[in-house]
Amino acid sequence: MTVTPTSRPPFNGGPPVCVPGTDSGQRWIFGFPGGLTAEVHTRGARLHGLWVPDRHGTPADVVLAPRDPARTADTARYFGSTVGRYANRIAHGRFSLEGEPYQLTTQENGHCLHGGADGFDTRLWEAETVHTPERTGVLLHLRSPDGDQGFPGNLDVTVSFLIGRDGELSFSYAAVTDAATPVNLTNHAYFNLEGEGAGDVLDHELTVDADRYTPVDEELIPSGDHRPVYGTAFDLRRPLRLGEAQARLGAGGGYDHNFVLSPHGGGILRRAAVLHAPATGRRMEVLTTEPGLQVYTAGQFDGSVLGKSGTPYRSGAGVALETQHFPDSPNRPGDPSTVLRPGGEYRSRTVLRFDTHR
């Protein structure tokens, strides 16, 4: 592993500490001695850093982020951010709801990606802290007005980032609305369990608890019904080295696909995936209440973003494991609904559980 300037956490326990920022808003640092330490920015409700001990107890920052915070406005826009109102893609930025057509702002190939041209990742969220003997962290709040990026209804959103003494980082989302609207939130962190800036993740092993996946066209829009993973490069039900998995996938820049978790639905927290770095022993178990997992292996990274350690991020520098509903669900009646209505409450929870494994 490459030891980088971000290898030691900038905090040693106690209540969350606020470090004033500039265009990135506030920086909140929190954690427990000897365990996890996180850095969260209020600009984009963004996980900027996460220090995790390896098998020898030595911590390293395992979350990718640009050295220059201004890059989160362009090529590093989604790094670690909370994306919404709708994570993933809505084809052509169009959908109909209760007989009314809606047109969203679009960007990538004329589609709406991660909530539109000015999504939640660009906003300045309001923060409050949580600190008890067993958990510590921040709650972030945002109001998205009616018509925001074309979505109907005023939406009030809360996301919490909480670290437990048991070595877990949890993301919890809640939202209410005054008019029916699609809602699909996730965190877009990229992980490298050998340490941010340590190279690529091709020697990491990935397991995904999914027996079906969503095929997509060349613009990453769903192209048909969910298909079985059996006999395909999408069969990750047993641990598989990412380099080997991508070799099976062939040309195309790696994974950027939705996996249909087994079982899914019901709002029950259950395992979705396990990521393991044999070189450091760090293992991250992903548990979620969501029905899907978008696996993105950063095949489009081209070295134009310098990471916190000063290392250029190239193809495969990290992997994103985005717990969410399925892409383009507002236009796919057979998928689990993403519609939130007045009087209801959107709830979603994802837990990252860390340990070490030889």
Side-chain angles (χ1 to χ4, degrees), residues 24 30 148 186 228 253 311 317:
S24 62
F30 53 92
D148 189 1
T186 194
T311 302

Side-chain angles (χ1 to χ4, degrees), residues 3 198 221 225 233 262 288 348-349:
V3 178
I221 299 298
D225 294 333
S262 318
T288 188
S348 175
R349 185 166 183 249

Side-chain angles (χ1 to χ4, degrees), residues 2-62:
T2 301
V3 178
T4 74
T6 58
S7 292
R8 291 286 175 182
F11 183 68
N12 195 34
V17 171
C18 179
V19 180
T22 55
D23 58 343
S24 62
Q26 296 172 329
R27 297 165 51 213
W28 286 95
I29 301 173
F30 53 92
F32 289 107
L36 306 180
T37 296
E39 180 177 332
V40 169
H41 292 190
T42 54
R43 176 73 66 185
R46 191 177 305 270
L47 180 65
H48 183 79
L50 182 65
W51 287 261
V52 181
D54 66 7
R55 63 166 63 92
H56 304 297
T58 303
D61 187 357
V62 301

Side-chain angles (χ1 to χ4, degrees), residues 212-244:
R212 302 179 78 82
Y213 76 100
T214 302
V216 293
D217 63 19
E218 64 278 1
E219 296 183 350
L220 300 176
I221 299 298
S223 58
D225 294 333
H226 306 303
R227 294 179 186 167
V229 300
Y230 179 78
T232 75
F234 299 95
D235 193 347
L236 301 174
R237 292 175 293 177
R238 294 183 179 180
L240 190 62
R241 184 176 157 272
L242 274 172
E244 180 181 348

Side-chain angles (χ1 to χ4, degrees), residues 203-285:
D203 284 333
H204 285 44
E205 297 169 347
L206 179 63
T207 307
V208 178
D209 295 337
D211 56 16
R212 302 179 78 82
Y213 76 100
T214 302
V216 293
D217 63 19
E218 64 278 1
E219 296 183 350
L220 300 176
I221 299 298
S223 58
D225 294 333
H226 306 303
R227 294 179 186 167
V229 300
Y230 179 78
T232 75
F234 299 95
D235 193 347
L236 301 174
R237 292 175 293 177
R238 294 183 179 180
L240 190 62
R241 184 176 157 272
L242 274 172
E244 180 181 348
Q246 293 199 160
R248 293 183 184 182
L249 191 63
Y255 292 93
D256 193 359
H257 295 81
N258 172 65
F259 287 77
V260 180
L261 299 176
S262 318
H264 69 268
I268 307 247
L269 190 70
R270 78 279 187 231
R271 196 181 84 166
V274 178
L275 185 67
H276 174 226
T280 63
R282 293 187 186 93
R283 182 170 60 177
M284 181 177 78
E285 186 178 20

